[in-house]
Amino acid sequence: MSDNADDSTIDAITITQAISSKASLLMSTSQHCTALVRFVSGLLKSITISPNNKCLNDEEWVEIDTVMSTVSGQKVIDFIHASQDAAFALIDLLCVILRLIKTSHHVDQVSTLDCIVQKILFCCMHLIGCNADFNVSIPAKELLTSLDSETFFSVSKGSTLDNHFHRVLNLVLSGLNGSENDCWEYGDPSMFAFDALLRNALASTIGDNFDKVASILNSHLCGEVGSLVEKGNEYFQKRLFFMALLESVVSKETVSKQHLNHFVEKLVRNAIIPNLVWQSGALASSLRKVAAAVLFSLVCGGGLSDVALFKCAPVLLPVLKSTISDDDSSTRELATATLAKVFEMISGLLGEEAVHQIYPDLMKGLDDSNERVRFASCDALLHFLTSASSKNYKGTAIEYMVENLFLHLDDPNPDFREKVYDVLTTAISVDSNTVA
């Protein structure tokens, strides 16, 4: 040890390291874990630094890193997700170590401290991902703020978390083998840490790492959904969890569309479309709703490029056509609004067969029990009438649409009548004789 620290510092760190080396043997229950973490925290609190030199040396920091390796290990992580007391004990220890970092480092030791900081961030993600009833998320986020306030870290963008995002992500994913189909079981602590990491990082940071992020999301959402009887509740809950996380990512206003465009076609084909297919049950209904919200955010937010849309359209349009008749009104509205944007993007390119398959379901939306769906249907019809060549609407399609649109001009809602009038005005350019 160095002469920089007095005997109490040396004793505390040495004892702490010795405890860390035997931690796996000392922790068989969450109570044992809580007691051990609190004991280590107390030892580190007892460290007093010589007034002549307030710095620990590199070897001492390595020993503290050993402590961090222990408390960020799987055994402690499992316990903090199971026990509120263990979670708060870890928060206390992280605060003590952060206090040491603030008061006991040389400027040239910043690189040595990076590994410790990354493990602190990793632990914070798990704490934020703990059961909401533990009420540990707020102090964990306050700890993140404390890290950001320190000027000794080299912060090139955003927060300390953003600057260490890649390495923290690797720590979170360390339990997966890296194969395309490797997934967490529902309830695995790492899935909650992954969620916390993505929700607390900048959109630009996620974009810079979207190849790895998209791969994890895709692996947990891909494939046919299947029935509740066949798959079970946890299967749907896991899909719903990751679909909600995907929605939070793609709906970030500052997320780079350029980053999304590289992966969005695969996400739409493998992760979104299969989860829009109708299955019975409340969980399946919730999954369809969130999947519809993700698709809406991608299409209307510019995340789905024209090229990706054209590639996905043959599979996407039939699924959206089905989804606009969903039992849930919010899902119907989202799907209808998405169709409106899709029709706008493919203006003039829709084939005759697609026109005749889609228009009856679109017209049903005008009589929907939900007012918002009715208005969304008007918008979809307006863009639908410009999505194909005029000749593709000739005959039954345009005649049926115009006839029913005229009937809705008697609707009691003046705003809705105005919407219908706008659609009829657009229909004139398709077939003026039929409208007249």
Short mmCIF file of all heavy atoms in Angstrom, two decimals, residues 139-175:
data_model
loop_
_atom_site.label_atom_id
_atom_site.label_comp_id
_atom_site.label_asym_id
_atom_site.label_seq_id
_atom_site.Cartn_x
_atom_site.Cartn_y
_atom_site.Cartn_z
N PRO A 139 -33.69 7.23 -5.84
CA PRO A 139 -32.31 7.40 -5.37
C PRO A 139 -31.26 6.90 -6.36
O PRO A 139 -30.16 7.45 -6.43
CB PRO A 139 -32.27 6.59 -4.06
CG PRO A 139 -33.49 5.74 -4.06
CD PRO A 139 -34.50 6.45 -4.88
N ALA A 140 -31.60 5.89 -7.16
CA ALA A 140 -30.66 5.41 -8.18
C ALA A 140 -30.45 6.48 -9.25
O ALA A 140 -29.32 6.71 -9.71
CB ALA A 140 -31.16 4.12 -8.81
N LYS A 141 -31.53 7.15 -9.65
CA LYS A 141 -31.40 8.22 -10.64
C LYS A 141 -30.66 9.43 -10.06
O LYS A 141 -29.94 10.13 -10.78
CB LYS A 141 -32.79 8.63 -11.15
CG LYS A 141 -33.44 7.57 -12.03
CD LYS A 141 -34.81 8.00 -12.51
CE LYS A 141 -35.42 6.92 -13.41
NZ LYS A 141 -36.76 7.30 -13.91
N GLU A 142 -30.85 9.68 -8.77
CA GLU A 142 -30.11 10.77 -8.12
C GLU A 142 -28.61 10.47 -8.12
O GLU A 142 -27.78 11.37 -8.25
CB GLU A 142 -30.62 10.96 -6.69
CG GLU A 142 -32.02 11.57 -6.63
CD GLU A 142 -32.59 11.60 -5.23
OE1 GLU A 142 -31.99 10.95 -4.33
OE2 GLU A 142 -33.63 12.27 -5.01
N LEU A 143 -28.27 9.19 -7.97
CA LEU A 143 -26.87 8.80 -8.02
C LEU A 143 -26.28 9.06 -9.41
O LEU A 143 -25.15 9.51 -9.55
CB LEU A 143 -26.73 7.32 -7.63
CG LEU A 143 -25.34 6.86 -7.17
CD1 LEU A 143 -25.49 5.72 -6.17
CD2 LEU A 143 -24.48 6.41 -8.32
N LEU A 144 -27.09 8.78 -10.45
CA LEU A 144 -26.66 9.08 -11.82
C LEU A 144 -26.40 10.58 -11.99
O LEU A 144 -25.42 10.98 -12.62
CB LEU A 144 -27.73 8.64 -12.83
CG LEU A 144 -27.96 7.14 -13.02
CD1 LEU A 144 -29.09 6.92 -14.02
CD2 LEU A 144 -26.69 6.44 -13.49
N THR A 145 -27.27 11.39 -11.40
CA THR A 145 -27.09 12.84 -11.47
C THR A 145 -25.81 13.26 -10.77
O THR A 145 -25.09 14.16 -11.23
CB THR A 145 -28.30 13.55 -10.83
OG1 THR A 145 -29.50 13.15 -11.50
CG2 THR A 145 -28.16 15.06 -10.93
N SER A 146 -25.51 12.61 -9.63
CA SER A 146 -24.26 12.91 -8.91
C SER A 146 -23.04 12.59 -9.77
O SER A 146 -22.06 13.33 -9.77
CB SER A 146 -24.20 12.11 -7.61
OG SER A 146 -25.22 12.50 -6.72
N LEU A 147 -23.11 11.49 -10.50
CA LEU A 147 -22.01 11.15 -11.41
C LEU A 147 -21.82 12.23 -12.47
O LEU A 147 -20.70 12.60 -12.81
CB LEU A 147 -22.28 9.81 -12.08
CG LEU A 147 -21.88 8.54 -11.32
CD1 LEU A 147 -22.44 7.31 -12.03
CD2 LEU A 147 -20.37 8.43 -11.20
N ASP A 148 -22.94 12.72 -13.00
CA ASP A 148 -22.87 13.73 -14.06
C ASP A 148 -22.27 15.05 -13.57
O ASP A 148 -21.72 15.83 -14.36
CB ASP A 148 -24.26 14.01 -14.63
CG ASP A 148 -24.83 12.80 -15.36
OD1 ASP A 148 -24.03 11.95 -15.77
OD2 ASP A 148 -26.06 12.73 -15.52
N SER A 149 -22.38 15.31 -12.27
CA SER A 149 -21.92 16.59 -11.73
C SER A 149 -20.41 16.64 -11.52
O SER A 149 -19.86 17.69 -11.23
CB SER A 149 -22.61 16.88 -10.38
OG SER A 149 -22.18 15.95 -9.39
N GLU A 150 -19.75 15.49 -11.67
CA GLU A 150 -18.32 15.45 -11.43
C GLU A 150 -17.53 15.83 -12.68
O GLU A 150 -17.70 15.24 -13.74
CB GLU A 150 -17.90 14.05 -10.95
CG GLU A 150 -18.51 13.68 -9.61
CD GLU A 150 -18.27 14.77 -8.56
OE1 GLU A 150 -17.13 15.21 -8.40
OE2 GLU A 150 -19.25 15.18 -7.92
N THR A 151 -16.64 16.81 -12.55
CA THR A 151 -15.90 17.33 -13.70
C THR A 151 -14.70 16.48 -14.06
O THR A 151 -14.09 16.69 -15.11
CB THR A 151 -15.42 18.76 -13.42
OG1 THR A 151 -14.61 18.74 -12.23
CG2 THR A 151 -16.59 19.70 -13.21
N PHE A 152 -14.35 15.50 -13.19
CA PHE A 152 -13.15 14.72 -13.50
C PHE A 152 -13.39 13.66 -14.55
O PHE A 152 -12.47 13.05 -15.05
CB PHE A 152 -12.56 14.08 -12.24
CG PHE A 152 -13.52 13.20 -11.48
CD1 PHE A 152 -13.75 11.89 -11.88
CD2 PHE A 152 -14.17 13.68 -10.36
CE1 PHE A 152 -14.62 11.09 -11.18
CE2 PHE A 152 -15.04 12.87 -9.66
CZ PHE A 152 -15.27 11.57 -10.05
N PHE A 153 -14.67 13.40 -14.89
CA PHE A 153 -14.95 12.45 -15.96
C PHE A 153 -14.93 13.18 -17.30
O PHE A 153 -15.45 14.28 -17.43
CB PHE A 153 -16.30 11.78 -15.76
CG PHE A 153 -16.35 10.87 -14.57
CD1 PHE A 153 -17.26 11.09 -13.55
CD2 PHE A 153 -15.48 9.80 -14.45
CE1 PHE A 153 -17.30 10.26 -12.45
CE2 PHE A 153 -15.51 8.96 -13.37
CZ PHE A 153 -16.42 9.19 -12.36
N SER A 154 -14.36 12.53 -18.27
CA SER A 154 -14.32 13.09 -19.62
C SER A 154 -15.64 12.81 -20.32
O SER A 154 -15.90 11.70 -20.75
CB SER A 154 -13.16 12.47 -20.42
OG SER A 154 -13.17 12.94 -21.74
N VAL A 155 -16.50 13.82 -20.37
CA VAL A 155 -17.84 13.64 -20.93
C VAL A 155 -17.89 14.33 -22.28
O VAL A 155 -17.84 15.55 -22.38
CB VAL A 155 -18.91 14.23 -19.98
CG1 VAL A 155 -20.28 14.11 -20.62
CG2 VAL A 155 -18.88 13.51 -18.64
N SER A 156 -17.96 13.54 -23.34
CA SER A 156 -17.97 14.11 -24.69
C SER A 156 -19.37 14.46 -25.17
O SER A 156 -19.56 15.31 -26.01
CB SER A 156 -17.33 13.12 -25.67
OG SER A 156 -18.03 11.88 -25.66
N LYS A 157 -20.37 13.78 -24.61
CA LYS A 157 -21.76 14.09 -24.99
C LYS A 157 -22.70 13.60 -23.91
O LYS A 157 -22.44 12.61 -23.21
CB LYS A 157 -22.12 13.44 -26.32
CG LYS A 157 -22.16 11.91 -26.26
CD LYS A 157 -22.73 11.32 -27.52
CE LYS A 157 -22.90 9.80 -27.38
NZ LYS A 157 -23.50 9.21 -28.57
N GLY A 158 -23.81 14.27 -23.75
CA GLY A 158 -24.84 13.80 -22.83
C GLY A 158 -24.34 13.60 -21.42
O GLY A 158 -23.61 14.41 -20.86
N SER A 159 -24.73 12.47 -20.84
CA SER A 159 -24.42 12.17 -19.45
C SER A 159 -23.28 11.16 -19.35
O SER A 159 -22.78 10.65 -20.35
CB SER A 159 -25.67 11.59 -18.78
OG SER A 159 -25.99 10.34 -19.40
N THR A 160 -22.90 10.88 -18.10
CA THR A 160 -21.90 9.83 -17.87
C THR A 160 -22.40 8.50 -18.43
O THR A 160 -21.63 7.72 -19.00
CB THR A 160 -21.61 9.69 -16.36
OG1 THR A 160 -21.29 10.98 -15.82
CG2 THR A 160 -20.46 8.74 -16.11
N LEU A 161 -23.70 8.25 -18.27
CA LEU A 161 -24.29 7.02 -18.80
C LEU A 161 -24.13 6.96 -20.31
O LEU A 161 -23.78 5.91 -20.86
CB LEU A 161 -25.77 6.94 -18.41
CG LEU A 161 -26.53 5.71 -18.94
CD1 LEU A 161 -25.94 4.42 -18.37
CD2 LEU A 161 -28.02 5.82 -18.62
N ASP A 162 -24.38 8.06 -21.00
CA ASP A 162 -24.25 8.07 -22.46
C ASP A 162 -22.82 7.80 -22.90
O ASP A 162 -22.59 7.09 -23.88
CB ASP A 162 -24.73 9.42 -23.02
CG ASP A 162 -26.23 9.60 -22.87
OD1 ASP A 162 -26.98 8.80 -23.45
OD2 ASP A 162 -26.64 10.52 -22.16
N ASN A 163 -21.86 8.33 -22.17
CA ASN A 163 -20.46 8.14 -22.53
C ASN A 163 -19.97 6.72 -22.27
O ASN A 163 -19.02 6.27 -22.91
CB ASN A 163 -19.60 9.15 -21.78
CG ASN A 163 -19.62 10.51 -22.43
OD1 ASN A 163 -18.79 10.82 -23.26
ND2 ASN A 163 -20.61 11.32 -22.09
N HIS A 164 -20.60 6.03 -21.34
CA HIS A 164 -20.21 4.65 -21.04
C HIS A 164 -21.25 3.65 -21.53
O HIS A 164 -21.21 2.48 -21.15
CB HIS A 164 -20.02 4.49 -19.53
CG HIS A 164 -18.82 5.22 -18.99
ND1 HIS A 164 -17.54 4.72 -19.08
CD2 HIS A 164 -18.71 6.42 -18.36
CE1 HIS A 164 -16.70 5.57 -18.52
NE2 HIS A 164 -17.38 6.62 -18.08
N PHE A 165 -22.19 4.12 -22.36
CA PHE A 165 -23.33 3.29 -22.76
C PHE A 165 -22.90 1.95 -23.34
O PHE A 165 -23.44 0.89 -22.97
CB PHE A 165 -24.18 4.05 -23.79
CG PHE A 165 -25.41 3.30 -24.24
CD1 PHE A 165 -26.63 3.48 -23.59
CD2 PHE A 165 -25.37 2.42 -25.32
CE1 PHE A 165 -27.77 2.81 -24.00
CE2 PHE A 165 -26.50 1.73 -25.72
CZ PHE A 165 -27.70 1.93 -25.07
N HIS A 166 -21.95 1.95 -24.26
CA HIS A 166 -21.57 0.73 -24.97
C HIS A 166 -21.07 -0.34 -24.00
O HIS A 166 -21.46 -1.50 -24.08
CB HIS A 166 -20.50 1.04 -26.02
CG HIS A 166 -20.11 -0.15 -26.84
ND1 HIS A 166 -20.92 -0.67 -27.83
CD2 HIS A 166 -19.00 -0.94 -26.81
CE1 HIS A 166 -20.32 -1.73 -28.37
NE2 HIS A 166 -19.16 -1.91 -27.77
N ARG A 167 -20.22 0.07 -23.06
CA ARG A 167 -19.66 -0.90 -22.12
C ARG A 167 -20.71 -1.36 -21.11
O ARG A 167 -20.73 -2.53 -20.72
CB ARG A 167 -18.45 -0.31 -21.41
CG ARG A 167 -17.26 -0.11 -22.34
CD ARG A 167 -16.00 0.25 -21.58
NE ARG A 167 -14.87 0.42 -22.47
CZ ARG A 167 -14.10 -0.58 -22.89
NH1 ARG A 167 -14.35 -1.81 -22.51
NH2 ARG A 167 -13.08 -0.35 -23.69
N VAL A 168 -21.57 -0.44 -20.68
CA VAL A 168 -22.65 -0.84 -19.76
C VAL A 168 -23.60 -1.81 -20.46
O VAL A 168 -24.06 -2.80 -19.88
CB VAL A 168 -23.40 0.39 -19.23
CG1 VAL A 168 -24.57 -0.03 -18.33
CG2 VAL A 168 -22.46 1.30 -18.45
N LEU A 169 -23.90 -1.53 -21.74
CA LEU A 169 -24.75 -2.43 -22.51
C LEU A 169 -24.13 -3.82 -22.59
O LEU A 169 -24.82 -4.84 -22.43
CB LEU A 169 -24.96 -1.87 -23.92
CG LEU A 169 -25.79 -2.72 -24.89
CD1 LEU A 169 -27.21 -2.93 -24.36
CD2 LEU A 169 -25.83 -2.07 -26.27
N ASN A 170 -22.83 -3.88 -22.80
CA ASN A 170 -22.15 -5.19 -22.84
C ASN A 170 -22.26 -5.92 -21.51
O ASN A 170 -22.42 -7.15 -21.48
CB ASN A 170 -20.68 -5.00 -23.22
CG ASN A 170 -20.50 -4.68 -24.70
OD1 ASN A 170 -21.38 -4.94 -25.52
ND2 ASN A 170 -19.37 -4.09 -25.04
N LEU A 171 -22.19 -5.18 -20.41
CA LEU A 171 -22.35 -5.80 -19.09
C LEU A 171 -23.76 -6.37 -18.93
O LEU A 171 -23.95 -7.47 -18.43
CB LEU A 171 -22.06 -4.79 -17.98
CG LEU A 171 -20.60 -4.35 -17.79
CD1 LEU A 171 -20.51 -3.22 -16.77
CD2 LEU A 171 -19.75 -5.54 -17.35
N VAL A 172 -24.75 -5.60 -19.38
CA VAL A 172 -26.16 -6.05 -19.28
C VAL A 172 -26.39 -7.29 -20.12
O VAL A 172 -27.13 -8.21 -19.72
CB VAL A 172 -27.12 -4.92 -19.70
CG1 VAL A 172 -28.55 -5.43 -19.79
CG2 VAL A 172 -27.03 -3.75 -18.73
N LEU A 173 -25.74 -7.35 -21.28
CA LEU A 173 -25.95 -8.46 -22.22
C LEU A 173 -25.03 -9.65 -21.97
O LEU A 173 -25.09 -10.64 -22.70
CB LEU A 173 -25.74 -7.98 -23.66
CG LEU A 173 -26.61 -6.83 -24.15
CD1 LEU A 173 -26.27 -6.50 -25.60
CD2 LEU A 173 -28.08 -7.15 -24.01
N SER A 174 -24.21 -9.56 -20.94
CA SER A 174 -23.18 -10.58 -20.72
C SER A 174 -23.76 -11.98 -20.49
O SER A 174 -23.09 -12.98 -20.73
CB SER A 174 -22.29 -10.20 -19.53
OG SER A 174 -23.06 -10.08 -18.35
N GLY A 175 -25.03 -12.06 -20.05
CA GLY A 175 -25.64 -13.36 -19.81
C GLY A 175 -26.15 -14.04 -21.07
O GLY A 175 -26.50 -15.23 -21.05
#
